[in-house]
Structure formats: C-alpha cells, structure tokens
Amino acid sequence: MTEIDDETYLLDVREDDEWVAGHAPGAHHLPMMELPARLAEVPTDRDVAVICRSGGRSAQVVGYLLNNGWEQVRNADGGMRQWEAVGRPVVGGDGQPGRVI
C-alpha cells in the first residue's frame, strides 16, 4: 500500500453508500462524479492520495487532477480493500467500526 502519513490529504472518491459503510479515519469524501464541480476543495499545496474501493476510479481521478494542474497527487494502490486487508482502521458513518463494500 502507498505510504500515507498524517500530512497526506486522503481523498476518498467512492459513492455515498460506500463511504457510510466504511472509510479511513481522517479521509475527505468527494464522490468521483462531483469532482469537476468541487475541484477547489482539493488542496494543491500538499500531498494528495486518492482512494476508492480497489484503485480503478482513483486512478482516473489522479489522471484528471494531473491534467488540471495538480502535481502532488497519487493513487492509493489497492484502494480501501487493500487498506482494510493490511489492518488499517475503517470507520462507518456513525463512527463505529466499518466495513468496505
């Protein structure tokens, strides 16, 4: 899994139901289809790691951001499935332990 530290802006581009079921603590939710209208929410002055369920959508978002001027952006390899598989925490929308769907 890509190294993600406390300084990294973790951008979760999954749909609302996926986010509510389980996401990384501290992640920022911005569904992929809303990205063009909400680009200003993605920082340009720090490292951004984009994550989805398995890496496909996040790879598309990384390409989109790179084409729109972002330089410090990368894909979180393996997505939330990998995040969960290596034992990293997953929380649900209610703050309780979550699961990746």
Side-chain angles (χ1 to χ4, degrees):
M1 165 139 272
T2 305
E3 184 57 37
I4 297 170
D5 60 31
D6 292 341
E7 300 301 312
T8 304
Y9 187 92
L10 184 59
L11 180 64
D12 190 322
V13 297
R14 297 174 302 144
E15 296 301 316
D16 291 339
D17 61 329
E18 295 173 289
W19 170 264
V20 170
H23 57 271
H28 303 269
H29 186 222
L30 189 114
M32 183 172 122
M33 299 313 276
E34 295 179 23
L35 181 68
R38 297 174 58 189
L39 268 179
E41 295 177 34
V42 183
T44 57
D45 60 349
R46 63 193 264 208
D47 188 33
V48 176
V50 184
I51 197 165
C52 65
R53 182 175 54 233
S54 60
R57 286 174 284 180
S58 54
Q60 292 177 44
V61 169
V62 166
Y64 183 83
L65 291 172
L66 288 170
N67 287 333
N68 282 278
W70 272 256
E71 295 176 1
Q72 300 179 79
V73 62
R74 58 198 163 88
N75 195 4
D77 301 323
M80 283 301 298
R81 285 186 173 159
Q82 180 69 16
W83 179 278
E84 185 176 51
V86 299
R88 289 188 139 182
V90 177
V91 295
D94 58 2
Q96 297 299 310
R99 62 189 177 88
V100 176
I101 61 169

